[in-house]
Structure formats: C-alpha cells, structure tokens
Amino acid sequence: MIRNTRMKRLSIASVAVTVGALVFSSLPAHAADPGVTSREIKLGYSGPLTGSAGLVYGKLPGAMKAYFDHINANGGVNGRKIKLVSRDDKYLPTLAATQTTNLVLNDKVFALVGALGTATHSKAYTAAQLAKNNVPDLFVNTGFSGFANKSKYPTTFTILPSYAMEAKIMAKFIKDTPTLAPQASFLIAQDDEFGVDGVNGFALAGHKFAAAPTLYPQGALTPALAEGALTRLSAVPGKPVLVLFGTTDSTATILKAAEKLSLVSKFTWIAGSVGGDANTLLALGVKPATINGALAASFFPDAKDATDPYVSEFMKINTKYNKGVTFDNVVLQGMNSAMLMCKHFAQQAKT
Amino acid sequence: MQALRAAGKNLTRAGLIKAIETKGANFASAGLVPLNYSATSRVGYNGYWFGQLNEKGELKPFGGKLSVYTTDSSSNTAPTASSYERKPVPKNGVPTNS
C-alpha cells in the first residue's frame, strides 16, 4: 500500500516536473526492506493469545521470544538483535486479517513467523497483501495442504506436516498393526479445511472407514453430540478404532463423553497431532487413565523426554528466559521455529 | 563492522525466501522427521511416527521402537519408512552460520 502510494506520487511528480528521470535517480537503487537495520530484525506473530485457543496456543510467541532473548544474549545474529511483535487474533479470521495487516503496515516487520491457524491465516494472508509486499511468511503452524500452493501463497512456508500426510500415515499404521487392521474404524473430524484435508488423505490411502466420517463445525462439538456419536458406535462389535481429527478441546470433549458412558475401553483411540496434546488433554480434565494407551502421531520428540538433546537444550532456555512457563509441546514448537529462523538469518548473512 | 554492513546489504525479504528454498531442508531441527523445503515444496516436515500415551502423558514409540514414515499430500503412493537422522543440536542451542 505504502509503496503504491509513493509510486503514484512519483509518477505524478515525474509528469509535472517533466524531468521524471531525475526524480527517480535520486532514490537509492535498492531501498532496504522494512524491519531490518544493522542492529535489529523485527519479526511479527499473529495468533490466539486469549480465548479458548489462547489457553492452548498462547504460549507459542512467548517461547519464540524466549529463544530470541537467548540468541540476543549471545550477541544476536551477526550483531543484529531479534525483536518479536505479537498480536492477539483470538483465533478469529477477521481479527487475524486486521492484526496481520497491523504487523506489516504499522509495526513494519521484516517477516512473519509461526502464524497459527488455517482459517485465520488464509484470510490474513490475502488481507495483509503478503504476496504483493513479498513478506516472508515462515513456519506457519498449520498442516493445511492448501498453503503449499506457491502461486496463491508465494511467500508462505508451513512447518507442520500436512493433515493429508498425517491421514495417509495413520491409514498405513492401522493397516500394518495386526490388532487394529481387522477392526471396524471410524473418523470423527472437524468440518473445515483441517478435517477435510484429513478425510482426503484417508481417501488417497484407500482406507475404508466402516461409516461416513462424523463431521462437526469447529467449536461446535457439544458433550451431547459426542455422547450420541459414541453411543451409536458402541453397538459395533469388537474393539473399533476411533480416529479423532480435530483440535484438542474437541478430543477432550469426546474422551470425557466416553468416561461418562464408561466406553473408554470399548475403543482404540487414535488422536491426530493437533488434537493429541496430552498436557492439554489432562489440563482440560481428561483422566490420566483415559489417555493411557491412546495412540497419537507426532513428528517431534516428546516434550517430556528430557533425555532428548534438543528438548533438554530448549528446557534450559525456557527455565532462563520463559520463567514460570511449563515446558510442553507448544513451547518446543515455538523454540524450534525460532531456531530455524535464526539459522536462516545467519546463513543468509554469510552469502 | 564490515560483516554487519555486508549482512545489512544482503538481508532482504527475497533473499530470505530464496535461502529457505535452497538450504532450508538441511538445517538442524528438533524434528524426528525430515524438513522438506525446496524451490517447489513449501511444506516443512513431511512425516510422522506413532506413539502410545501413558498416564503421565508421555508419548512413547509404539511397540518400543521409533518408526518414522514420510509421504506427500496429494498422491496415492503409500508412505515409506524413513531412516532420517537429525543433525546434532547446535552448541547451547545457538546456530552458527556454517
């Protein structure tokens, strides 16, 4: 927007002055990109800091900032300190559009890092004109495979494996596991890009569910709906496999319904990586005995595994720069993305 | 100061995007599956392993052995077993420009 206005003024000026070339030649050949000086790189994050999604994911920018503080205390990246500006979008697409626009136009960040959410970020990408402004949109926290479309999202790089990949690998896991393969399997999924991406992945894998997927709108899975679905499925003989492809609060609603109906041991539970965060499930009141034995997919080490060298290094940083915050999968994810970011800066400065 | 100045000249939005496309797949990362960035791929991690939760909420590899599978988003080709090994964590968690 800013650049456009300036160009417009310049072209008016060039006509008026008639020696337009002189006006242009007074500008530097390559104007520096916003958000970067010899002493600082400014990055932006938009995601839920408050609200129900904020309870789960609100730690993410704090974890990134803690890592950047650690880097800054070690001299920054080639002498530049990293500054992170975080804005709360409450997991609402319209607000994400506003906040991301604010990051680009008002805060003048150099790049975005770790934006979270599929519906939120796809709306924000267009609204903030990230493509037109060539704003790097790095390590977006969604597995929506649509973001891989380079012509629509030319500056976006997602960090999570796609939900379609996850579904394909789940299908293979079920097929290859002798105790699961012969059982009837069912899918309960969020009815949006997220869940549908998963449904498509299972279809690509040729996986046959015993019934059409149970789809529910995001945030609309009530205890009554969950209890109804589980009661129906409990009539299926054997130990059916139940795949849950939704956010962690939905997984919690379903598991609590199973507790209420004494159906926990009736099913083999498989939770997707988004909805299988054990810390969050326990915090939402799911009983430890309920999650015991549940299956979940991951691409990270377990955040509770202090013997993992990355986890233990990040734990140290968390203790020092993120005081009072429990180290969990979200913190691990934030710090890992921040580390990749710094590596990119360091690498690029050399070339 | 020369290094700073050189970096200042080089750190651009376009350059950053290019750097991820060309080198992003090789950076040290905590993931147990590979990063998949390239000029044509914008998706980071491209695989999963399966685990089983215990009462403490710890996710342990299913069957006691870590099995990583990688795949893509759009083909009907089955996922393949991956022998990916992570790079060691950078000293103090601070990446260098090597």
Side-chain angles (χ1 to χ4, degrees):
Chain A
M1 287 287 275
I2 287 174
R3 190 161 294 176
N4 264 357
T5 315
R6 192 189 294 157
M7 288 299 283
K8 228 174 264 170
R9 280 202 203 110
L10 281 175
S11 54
I12 292 164
S14 65
V15 171
V17 177
T18 69
V19 274
L22 281 178
V23 178
F24 282 103
S25 67
S26 68
L27 291 170
H30 294 287
D33 283 328
V36 59
T37 67
S38 62
R39 291 154 84 164
E40 186 183 86
I41 301 167
K42 200 195 273 187
L43 302 174
Y45 170 82
S46 171
L49 304 181
T50 58
S52 60
L55 282 177
V56 182
Y57 303 111
K59 287 174 166 188
L60 192 84
M64 291 197 285
K65 184 179 179 301
Y67 181 85
F68 292 139
D69 287 346
H70 173 64
I71 289 294
N72 292 343
N74 282 275
V77 178
N78 297 302
R80 290 187 173 104
K81 299 287 166 69
I82 313 241
K83 184 178 175 186
L84 180 68
V85 183
S86 295
R87 286 180 173 270
D88 185 9
D89 66 21
K90 303 181 194 295
Y91 211 42
L92 300 171
T94 321
L95 193 53
T98 308
Q99 295 293 45
T100 305
T101 304
N102 283 336
L103 288 169
V104 173
L105 293 186
N106 298 342
D107 304 326
K108 298 187 168 48
V109 299
F110 175 67
L112 300 178
V113 60
L116 187 141
T118 300
T120 46
H121 194 61
S122 52
K123 187 162 178 87
Y125 192 90
T126 313
Q129 298 189 300
L130 300 185
K132 190 174 168 190
N133 293 311
N134 203 30
V135 182
D137 180 27
L138 308 185
F139 314 132
V140 177
N141 283 295
T142 156
F144 174 48
S145 58
F147 281 121
N149 181 347
K150 199 175 159 179
S151 56
K152 192 168 179 194
Y153 303 101
T155 65
T156 298
F157 294 81
T158 59
I159 184 89
L160 310 184
S162 74
Y163 302 124
M165 289 176 181
E166 183 168 4
K168 283 175 72 177
I169 293 172
M170 278 183 176
K172 180 171 173 57
F173 178 77
I174 294 170
K175 192 177 158 194
D176 291 353
T177 305
T179 50
L180 305 183
Q183 302 292 339
S185 60
F186 299 88
L187 174 64
I188 303 180
Q190 191 166 298
D191 189 12
D192 60 6
E193 293 94 334
F194 164 31
V196 170
D197 222 32
V199 171
N200 292 342
F202 279 108
L204 283 171
H207 186 85
K208 298 269 187 289
F209 286 105
T214 303
L215 299 174
Y216 57 89
Q218 194 256 319
L221 186 70
T222 60
L225 276 172
E227 286 164 26
L230 293 183
T231 303
R232 275 197 309 280
L233 296 176
S234 68
V236 176
K239 194 175 167 77
V241 176
L242 224 53
V243 179
L244 309 179
F245 227 88
T247 50
T248 312
D249 52 325
S250 305
T251 307
T253 302
I254 294 166
L255 291 176
K256 284 197 267 191
E259 288 172 357
K260 189 177 164 190
L261 300 168
S262 301
L263 287 173
V264 171
S265 59
K266 168 68 185 171
F267 304 104
T268 296
W269 303 92
I270 300 184
S273 59
V274 169
D277 185 68
N279 282 306
T280 312
L281 290 173
L282 295 173
L284 292 172
V286 177
K287 291 177 186 154
T290 302
I291 63 166
N292 188 26
L295 302 166
S298 178
F299 51 92
F300 265 151
D302 180 19
K304 289 186 190 300
D305 182 6
T307 66
D308 182 277
Y310 281 87
V311 169
S312 73
E313 204 60 56
F314 289 158
M315 277 178 169
K316 279 190 243 167
I317 296 169
N318 192 60
T319 304
K320 191 163 178 187
Y321 295 101
N322 209 12
K323 285 196 171 61
V325 176
T326 309
F327 191 87
D328 63 10
N329 291 330
V330 175
V331 175
L332 170 62
Q333 197 157 312
M335 289 204 182
N336 186 60
S337 290
M339 183 179 70
L340 284 173
M341 197 77 221
C342 289
K343 179 70 184 175
H344 284 299
F345 287 143
Q347 187 80 33
Q348 202 199 346
K350 201 184 89 174
T351 54
Chain B
M1 275 307 285
Q2 279 185 0
L4 284 182
R5 213 168 281 139
K9 201 173 83 181
N10 286 330
L11 192 55
T12 63
R13 286 173 166 174
L16 181 60
I17 289 170
K18 186 85 183 161
I20 299 172
E21 287 184 343
T22 53
K23 300 171 192 135
N26 297 318
F27 290 162
S29 123
L32 297 173
V33 308
L35 283 166
N36 200 39
Y37 297 126
S38 73
T40 51
S41 168
R42 301 310 190 89
V43 179
Y45 296 114
N46 67 339
Y48 275 98
W49 59 278
F50 256 87
Q52 193 155 26
L53 292 167
N54 63 20
E55 291 208 353
K56 290 185 224 162
E58 296 165 334
L59 189 67
K60 304 284 189 189
F62 183 79
K65 184 177 167 286
L66 185 78
S67 304
V68 172
Y69 284 89
T70 57
T71 191
D72 60 58
S73 305
S74 56
S75 80
N76 58 7
T77 312
T80 51
S82 163
S83 57
Y84 174 74
E85 280 186 36
R86 290 184 301 186
K87 287 191 162 60
V89 63
K91 194 165 177 255
N92 300 322
V94 178
T96 61
N97 59 356
S98 60

